[in-house]
Amino acid sequence: MRRRSLGATLAAAALLTSGAASPEQPEPEQRITVRADSPGATTAVLTAWQRTGDEWTKAYGPVPAHVGKNGVGQASESTSRTPAGVWPLTEAFGTEPAETRLPYRKVTTSDWWVSDVASPHYNTHFSCAPGTCPFDEAAGENLGEAGPGYANAVVIDYNRSPVVPGAGSAFFLHVTTGKPTAGCVAIPAPDLDALLRWLDPARYPVIEISG
C-alpha cells in the first residue's frame, strides 16, 4: 500500500468480525496471526497456525514483522494504518517466481493495484501499459516498479468484497524493506518463502491482525 497465547489470539479474532469469512464459507484450517503490542506500534509478531479437527498447532514462527507507520486499526486511503481484523488470503504475486499453491501472478510494469477512489477498478489488480490506464496512475501502485518489497507478496483480502471507495487499498503480506509500511505487513524474504510454500487454498487460509 502507498501512502499471547493462541487461545487468546483466536478469542480476540472472534471479536474482529469485520472482513471475516462469511458463514457460508468453510472454517479456515490455516491462520496467520499478526499481533502488535499496541494500536500505535509499527512492529508485530507473526505466527502461522494450522488446525486439525478442533486443535490449533503452531506451523511456523514466530517471526518479526513490520506494520503500518500509523499502527494497526481502522484503515483508510488517507492513513498508513494496517487494518485490524480477519481477512482471507486467496492469491499472491511478485516480480520473482514463487513456489506456492496459491494462484500466483508474475508481475511486470504493466501490472497495477488501483488506488484511485473514483475508479470502478478501485482496490483491484489491473493490467495496462503505463500511460494507457483507465484510472489515475498517480493514485495507483505499479507492482513491477515497487522494488524489492514486491519480490513476492500475498494479497490480504481487506475491502475486496464489497469494495468501499476510500476504505483503503493495496494491502499485502510482502518482503520487508526494514522499516514500517504504508499499511502492509512485511517480513523477511526467507520467512515469506516458507509461508508461500505452506499456504494451501484448499485449507481456506486467513490472516488475523490485531494491536
Side-chain angles (χ1 to χ4, degrees):
M1 180 188 179
R2 288 175 25 154
R3 9 152 238 319
R4 83 203 99 169
S5 70
L6 177 60
T9 298
L10 298 183
L15 300 175
L16 296 168
T17 56
S18 175
S22 71
E24 294 77 21
Q25 294 177 313
E27 286 294 316
E29 297 176 358
Q30 292 183 327
R31 182 182 294 262
I32 294 174
T33 58
V34 179
R35 181 159 185 170
D37 286 339
S38 68
T42 59
T43 59
V45 175
L46 179 149
T47 310
W49 309 87
Q50 57 192 12
R51 181 167 65 88
T52 303
D54 294 329
E55 182 178 354
W56 287 91
T57 56
K58 185 166 65 175
Y60 193 83
V63 299
H66 281 101
V67 292
K69 290 182 287 187
N70 298 137
V72 173
Q74 181 62 55
S76 72
E77 202 60 51
S78 61
T79 68
S80 294
R81 186 175 294 120
T82 302
V86 185
W87 321 105
L89 300 172
T90 57
E91 62 180 297
F93 69 87
T95 57
E96 301 296 329
E99 181 183 344
T100 185
R101 286 168 286 190
L102 292 175
Y104 189 83
R105 177 183 290 111
K106 181 79 159 33
V107 296
T108 69
T109 55
S110 291
D111 289 285
W112 302 77
W113 206 271
V114 183
S115 296
D116 177 1
V117 297
S119 171
H121 307 293
Y122 178 70
N123 202 25
T124 66
H125 168 267
F126 199 93
S127 294
C128 51
T132 71
C133 298
F135 52 84
D136 181 2
E137 294 179 13
E141 189 164 19
N142 188 308
L143 302 180
E145 291 184 343
Y150 287 177
N152 298 125
V154 181
V155 179
I156 298 173
D157 284 354
Y158 165 81
N159 193 30
R160 298 193 74 196
S161 182
V163 175
V164 178
S169 61
F171 293 95
F172 312 121
L173 170 61
H174 65 71
V175 178
T176 186
T177 59
K179 57 186 179 182
T181 71
C184 295
V185 178
I187 60 175
D191 298 307
L192 184 55
D193 289 344
L195 290 176
L196 280 166
R197 291 192 297 270
W198 173 74
L199 287 166
D200 182 356
R203 302 193 70 183
Y204 312 105
V206 297
I207 188 167
E208 179 264 313
I209 305 169
S210 60

